[in-house]
Amino acid sequence: MPSLAEHVRARDPDRFLAALFAPAPHRETLFTLIAYNAELARARAAASNPLAALIRLQWWRDAIEEARAGKPPRRHEVAEPLHAAITAGALDADSLIALADAREAETEADGIPSAAAFAGYLRATAGGLAIAAARLLVADPAWLPLIERLGAGYGLAGVLRSVPHLARAGRCLLPVEPLAAVGLNCEAVWAAPDTAAPLIRAMAEEGGARLAEARAEARAMPRALLAATLPAVFASRDLARLARGAATPDARGLLDRAALITAGLRGRL
């Protein structure tokens, strides 16, 4: 069986690279948190229908509640270290359950209805993960709203990058009302993902500007919190590409990785 670090590197290479800059005492637990989030992200992708995805999410909520109740861990490569982190007090059960709850938006047959609902989804998923990571790294609560914004920016880039891939699977996470405003719906995006290109460019341009503001505010953030926010480096680069209509490669290139590593070594976004 691969190590937890190897598991994370395979499932979420972006956050794996960022986690390497976490203080050593917290790194393994951060890998556990990222691995758990990857399992949640796979719930809908790996399920044949929305109900099956909801059952997968409930499985994880049950595993967390069992850990909180002091019951034995479930036999699973991620559930076991997650159980240990919860019982040790390193990860908060309520925050973990909230991450699972937020993924239910991905199972809605009618899609994410509005721009406001979409922003809430990004804050609760990628933003919530960034907050959970920052709490593990002992963040001052005053930094958490900014960390949530940085995480949500990474989530936005991920959704926009994934539009063609999701369309091939008959899925769409772009919000319904903004799609309708440009004469589209999810079915149209499934049939021809390129039709959403103008909306994607506009969302990427706006999101990139907001993320640039957040990164500027983060310059004073303690270095110890960097691992929770470094994925924003990738997000900035992705949003810039998307805003100009350029392709975003599935695998990170050397320049992307070098940008994150440089930020990590400098200790600032």
Side-chain angles (χ1 to χ4, degrees), residues 8 12 15-16 19 29-39 129:
V8 170
D12 193 340
R15 292 190 177 99
F16 168 81
T29 306
L30 184 55
F31 285 149
T32 299
L33 176 63
I34 297 169
Y36 166 67
N37 182 72
E39 292 294 327
L129 177 63

Side-chain angles (χ1 to χ4, degrees), residues 211-229:
L211 186 57
E213 292 173 358
R215 289 183 64 183
E217 292 176 37
R219 288 173 184 162
M221 187 177 294
R223 189 185 187 112
L225 304 182
L226 199 61
T229 59

Side-chain angles (χ1 to χ4, degrees), residues 58 244 268:
Q58 187 58 46
R244 63 178 185 266
R268 56 182 290 185

Side-chain angles (χ1 to χ4, degrees), residues 39-269:
E39 292 294 327
L40 299 181
R42 290 182 66 244
R44 181 65 187 95
S48 58
N49 56 69
L51 178 58
L54 291 172
I55 291 171
R56 285 174 177 265
L57 294 174
Q58 187 58 46
W59 190 94
W60 285 102
R61 283 190 285 255
D62 290 345
I64 291 164
E65 291 292 2
E66 288 165 7
R68 177 152 53 187
K71 296 180 180 179
R74 297 186 174 198
R75 296 190 64 182
H76 183 280
E77 59 187 333
V78 176
E80 288 178 308
L82 187 69
H83 183 284
I86 294 167
T87 56
L91 293 176
D92 173 62
D94 287 339
S95 297
L96 297 172
I97 289 173
L99 289 174
D101 291 344
R103 291 288 176 176
E104 291 194 3
E106 299 174 359
T107 71
E108 295 293 336
D110 296 330
I112 298 174
S114 64
F118 181 66
Y121 160 77
L122 295 176
R123 289 194 301 270
T125 52
L129 177 63
I131 285 178
R135 285 176 172 151
L136 169 64
L137 300 172
V138 199
D140 184 319
W143 287 110
L144 296 182
L146 176 58
I147 290 168
E148 181 184 67
R149 287 163 56 200
L150 292 163
Y154 179 78
L156 172 64
V159 169
L160 297 182
R161 288 181 71 204
S162 69
V163 168
H165 172 76
L166 292 179
R168 289 193 292 271
R171 297 176 58 209
C172 176
L173 290 177
L174 295 175
V176 173
E177 289 179 3
L179 279 172
V182 294
L184 296 173
N185 56 26
C186 282
E187 289 79 2
V189 177
W190 299 340
D194 287 349
T195 58
L199 177 61
I200 290 171
R201 287 197 296 270
M203 293 175 69
E205 184 174 0
E206 180 182 354
R210 291 197 304 267
L211 186 57
E213 292 173 358
R215 289 183 64 183
E217 292 176 37
R219 288 173 184 162
M221 187 177 294
R223 189 185 187 112
L225 304 182
L226 199 61
T229 59
L230 273 174
V233 174
F234 285 151
S236 291
R237 297 174 67 84
D238 288 339
L239 292 171
R241 292 184 186 107
L242 290 160
R244 63 178 185 266
T248 53
D250 290 337
R252 292 289 171 199
L254 177 61
L255 292 179
D256 277 357
R257 295 196 303 273
L260 185 142
I261 291 169
T262 299
L265 293 174
R266 291 174 61 194
R268 56 182 290 185
L269 290 181

